[in-house]
Amino acid sequence: MIDKVYVPPIKIQGIKTKIVPLISEVAWVDDNITWIEPFMGSGVVGLNLAPKHAVFADTNPHTIALYNAIQSGKITSYDVREFLEKEGKKLEEKDEKHYYYIRDRFNEEHNPLDFLFLNRSCFNGMIRFNRNYQFNVPYGHKPKRFAKAYVTKIVNQVKRLEDIFPDVDWKFKCQSFEQTISEADTQSFIYCDPPYIGRHVDYYDSWDENHEVRLHDVLVDSGAHFMLSTWDKNKYRKNEYIDTVWKECWKVNQEHFYHVGAKESNRNSMLEALLMNYNPQNVPAMKKNEESYIQMSFLDEVANA
Ligand SMILES: C[S@@+](CC[C@H](N)C(=O)[O-])C[C@H]1O[C@@H](n2cnc3c(N)ncnc32)[C@H](O)[C@@H]1O
């Protein structure tokens, strides 16, 4: 089980940092399989778990471009430091004027370093694009955002990738989940973290019932072991698709707390679910762990009880 989670340089809403240890316990991975992650987002799950062979994909071209640039050496941790120190200094002097200058420049030129700057200084580390695929997240209003310690933190996150890349066979691709899953076979492990239905509105990131059903069908057709992250319930509602679309899966849960806005009173709890097309007790690493705290259920049996 992973207990120290490596945090990647990109932030994204719905990032799974807190669930990585649980995923690492129930994912069926070893060095012979290819890790396939069709909705990589920040990449935090695969970057922590992925064995030697992996395909990371997403429809957001800008995260993929950044990882590809780091992998090819086009952007180094040294470049990141230089860039963030220089632009961070201007942010401190000119405040939001400079943020919006970089945002306009990014929307014209699509430089991955501008994307990193915006991602780390925008409101709440969000990634959101309008219908013209223009990044439109407002400023986070922290002119001293790129203080020395923060720049060093980001540089170390990039360095960690530079350390991993030479030893692995990882590919980063900008493509739809259908394309990515069509490249899988029985030697693949597919981890999916799609947008949650009704929870994200974004033009690289829209999701409805048709997407959910199609995702289920292509996963089943792939013949691979797969795992899906989704939400189970909160105090207001439950995710109906778990008992319908995904009813033949196994499920494990973890409680997750998140904040809406800055106030402590807006702290909400959400039960996260991992759904799998295999019994997690059969995962070789799990069998050794007889005292596991993990609660699991076979959905079909629960539904028919
Ligand atoms: C919830 S986020 C994934 C977060 C990721 N697991 C993490 O921890 O950082 C969902 C991702 O799916 C991507 N996405 C949305 N629709 C997609 C599609 N049709 N095909 C592939 N990726 C898609 C979004 O761009 C977004 O990065």
Side-chain angles (χ1 to χ4, degrees), residues 167-180:
D167 299 326
V168 291
D169 158 36
W170 290 359
K171 295 185 181 67
F172 295 88
K173 298 182 177 185
C174 179
Q175 59 191 27
S176 71
F177 71 84
E178 290 96 333
Q179 177 59 36
T180 308

Side-chain angles (χ1 to χ4, degrees), residues 26-270:
V26 291
W28 200 319
V29 292
D30 60 43
D31 269 350
N32 300 318
I33 66 110
T34 301
W35 172 270
I36 302 218
E37 191 166 344
F39 306 88
M40 83 166 273
S42 69
V44 71
V45 179
L47 298 177
N48 280 281
L49 264 85
K52 210 168 168 45
H53 309 281
V55 176
F56 294 90
D58 202 289
T59 44
N60 179 342
H62 306 297
T63 46
I64 299 295
L66 178 68
Y67 286 112
N68 270 327
I70 297 170
Q71 191 180 38
S72 67
K74 215 165 139 192
I75 290 177
T76 65
S77 49
Y78 180 82
D79 300 330
V80 169
R81 180 180 293 285
E82 218 181 32
F83 183 88
L84 294 182
E85 280 177 358
K86 183 175 99 205
E87 300 299 347
K89 199 159 169 267
K90 290 189 196 156
L91 186 73
E92 199 174 333
E93 286 160 15
K94 300 184 188 164
D95 204 6
E96 68 181 311
K97 226 171 143 185
H98 193 60
Y99 175 84
Y100 289 107
Y101 166 77
I102 299 277
R103 199 175 80 170
D104 289 345
R105 184 170 79 181
F106 168 73
N107 282 328
E108 289 244 314
E109 298 172 5
H110 299 155
N111 178 345
L113 286 170
D114 282 341
F115 181 63
L116 181 63
F117 173 97
L118 293 170
N119 180 251
R120 302 305 291 250
S121 58
C122 69
F123 177 73
N124 265 355
M126 287 171 69
I127 297 183
R128 197 183 59 204
F129 294 84
N130 67 17
R131 68 182 66 242
N132 298 318
Y133 299 100
Q134 303 266 298
F135 186 80
N136 68 354
V137 183
Y139 180 39
H141 287 287
K142 289 186 183 143
K144 295 196 171 136
R145 183 60 164 157
F146 295 103
K148 210 172 164 72
Y150 195 61
V151 171
T152 298
K153 186 172 171 182
I154 301 170
V155 168
N156 286 340
Q157 291 163 348
V158 173
K159 265 193 189 144
R160 175 77 197 272
L161 289 175
E162 289 174 331
D163 290 345
I164 299 174
F165 283 150
D167 299 326
V168 291
D169 158 36
W170 290 359
K171 295 185 181 67
F172 295 88
K173 298 182 177 185
C174 179
Q175 59 191 27
S176 71
F177 71 84
E178 290 96 333
Q179 177 59 36
T180 308
I181 295 171
S182 75
E183 295 166 11
D185 61 28
T186 52
Q187 285 301 98
S188 310
F189 181 86
I190 309 173
Y191 168 69
C192 287
D193 183 19
Y196 291 178
I197 293 185
R199 285 173 180 273
H200 293 280
V201 184
D202 178 83
Y203 289 86
Y204 286 120
D205 206 13
S206 63
W207 199 257
D208 60 21
E209 186 172 338
N210 291 334
H211 288 97
E212 191 92 357
V213 171
R214 213 163 54 241
L215 174 61
H216 170 270
D217 294 349
V218 291
L219 282 172
V220 170
D221 285 349
S222 73
H225 283 141
F226 69 78
M227 180 191 285
L228 174 89
S229 274
T230 190
W231 66 284
D232 195 324
K233 56 184 167 206
N234 60 21
K235 68 177 177 197
Y236 307 108
R237 35 189 207 127
K238 83 185 249 243
N239 180 353
E240 306 291 342
Y241 296 100
I242 291 185
D243 295 331
T244 54
V245 177
W246 303 101
K247 65 178 184 305
E248 78 277 24
C249 286
W250 289 80
K251 176 174 86 165
V252 300
N253 289 113
Q254 178 171 311
E255 189 110 8
H256 178 63
F257 292 94
Y258 65 98
H259 286 86
V260 181
K263 284 195 194 147
E264 187 62 22
S265 56
N266 287 339
R267 189 168 181 263
N268 290 320
S269 100
M270 151 87 87

